[in-house]
Amino acid sequence: MTTLFLSDLHLADAQPGITRRFLDFLRCPAREAQAIYILGDLFEYWAGDDDLDDALNREVATALREVTDRGVKVAFIAGNRDFLVGTDFAQRSGVTLLDESVVVNVEGTPTLLMHGDTLCTDDVAYMQFRNMVRKPAYIAQFLSQPLAERKAQIAAIRARSEADKQAKAAAIMDVNQAAVEAAFRAHGVSTMIHGHTHRPADHEHQVDGAPCTRIVLCDWQASRGEYLRCEPGSRTRIALGG
Ligand code: LP5
Ligand code: MN
C-alpha cells in the first residue's frame, strides 16, 4: 500500500509551472498509489464551485478524475484558501471531501491529518477572521453574490492578508505548542501530518511523557514541489524539481 500526502500547491494561472508539475504528479506517482491526501490550499483561492468553468479549475478537476477513475482514492481537506470547494467539485473530480481534522490509518499508524491553520492560535487576527468566514450563514451570503464580485472581495482580503502578514512576527504565524499537544491528546494519536505553515520539517514532541511526531508538508513553488510517500515501514519526502 502506498499513500501520498501533499498540500499548499496554491494552483493559479500566474504559476503555470506548478500546475504542470501537479499534472505530471497526477500522471505518474499518483496513479501507482492506493490513496492520496491533499491537505488544503490546493488552489490559490476557490471562489465557489460555479468557478468550475474556469480553464485551470476544469483542467485540474479533469486530471484528478482520471486518477480517481482508476481506483485511486483521493481525499481533500480544505485549506484556508480553498475551503469553499464543494460537492460539485467533488463530483467532477471524484475526490472525497473530508472534515477539517481526521484520523486515518496510515500503514498501521493512526495519523491525524489537518490543514494546520487551526494550530496557529497565536495569530489572533487570523483566528477571528477564520471564525467569521467559516460560519455557514456567512458562506451562504458570500456564495449568493455574483462570481465576479466574490473574486473582487477575495482579492481585497488577499491584499489585506499580505499586508497584515508583513507586520506579524514569524513565530505568530507558526503553530502554538499547546495547540499541537491538545490536538494529539484530543485525537489520541502520536502522529500528525499537516501543511499551511510552509515550514517543512519533522518535529518530535513529548505529550504527557509520550513521544509524538508532527510532519509538516512542503509548499510548492515555481522551482520545486514535494510530496510525502508512506509505504509499509517507510516515510519519504519526494522532491519534484524543474
Ligand atoms: O493564505 P496565507 O498563507 O497567505 O495567509 C493565511 C492567513 N490569511 C488568510 C486569507 C487568505 O489568504 C485569503 C482568503 C482566501 C479566500 C477564501 C474564500 C472566500 C472567503 C470569503 C468568506 C466566505 O487566510 C493569514 C495568516 C497566515 O495564513 C499565516 O497563518 O496570518 O491571516 C491573515 O492575514 C488574516 C488577517 O490578519 C485578518 C484578515 C482580515 C480581512 C478583512 C477583510 C478586509 C477586506 C474585505 C473586503 C471585502
Ligand atoms: Mn494555508
Side-chain angles (χ1 to χ4, degrees):
M1 172 104 175
T2 300
T3 308
L4 310 181
F5 299 88
L6 63 162
S7 71
D8 302 284
L9 282 71
H10 296 271
L11 297 176
D13 286 332
Q15 294 282 358
I18 298 180
T19 303
R20 211 173 315 113
R21 193 172 298 122
F22 180 55
L23 296 176
D24 287 347
F25 165 86
L26 291 179
R27 265 188 294 276
C28 189
R31 292 181 190 196
E32 272 112 58
Q34 279 71 52
I36 301 172
Y37 291 90
I38 302 171
L39 302 187
D41 289 359
L42 172 62
F43 296 99
E44 172 74 357
Y45 69 85
W46 190 262
D49 279 4
D50 52 340
D51 204 14
L52 270 165
D53 291 334
D54 170 83
L56 170 66
N57 296 342
R58 196 174 48 237
E59 185 176 27
V60 170
T62 303
L64 283 163
R65 181 92 224 178
E66 284 165 16
V67 176
T68 56
D69 274 352
R70 287 164 183 251
V72 181
K73 182 187 164 221
V74 182
F76 173 78
I77 293 180
N80 55 297
R81 304 289 197 96
D82 51 14
F83 64 89
L84 294 179
V85 162
T87 50
D88 287 352
F89 175 84
Q91 274 169 13
R92 183 83 69 93
S93 62
V95 167
T96 302
L97 306 185
L98 301 178
D99 290 342
E100 66 179 42
S101 300
V102 293
V103 175
V104 300
N105 185 328
V106 182
E107 311 305 340
T109 303
T111 304
L112 174 59
L113 307 178
M114 56 171 71
H115 178 55
D117 56 325
T118 52
L119 300 172
C120 302
T121 53
D122 294 331
D123 194 342
V124 175
Y126 171 65
M127 296 310 279
Q128 287 172 345
F129 170 74
R130 188 183 197 281
N131 285 338
M132 178 177 78
V133 299
R134 296 296 184 103
K135 289 200 166 54
Y138 196 98
I139 290 174
Q141 193 278 331
F142 182 78
L143 290 176
S144 73
Q145 301 172 92
L147 182 58
E149 171 62 21
R150 275 176 269 151
K151 288 188 175 182
Q153 289 185 24
I154 288 171
I157 297 169
R158 289 278 321 115
R160 169 72 184 274
S161 172
E162 286 305 318
D164 280 14
K165 285 198 303 182
Q166 299 298 318
K168 288 178 191 173
I172 282 181
M173 292 186 281
D174 201 353
V175 300
N176 171 285
Q177 292 303 312
V180 168
E181 290 172 22
F184 277 122
R185 266 188 215 105
H187 293 90
V189 296
S190 58
T191 305
M192 143 178 5
I193 304 175
H194 70 81
H196 180 67
T197 61
H198 301 190
R199 299 172 203 223
D202 294 1
H203 297 273
E204 296 303 325
H205 297 265
Q206 289 286 325
V207 180
D208 306 328
C212 293
T213 304
R214 178 171 64 92
I215 296 154
V216 185
L217 299 175
C218 191
D219 55 305
W220 289 31
Q221 303 203 349
S223 56
R224 55 140 180 86
E226 187 182 283
Y227 66 94
L228 180 74
R229 184 177 68 204
C230 293
E231 291 180 317
S234 77
R235 194 162 55 208
T236 317
R237 290 178 187 270
I238 311 287
L240 302 166

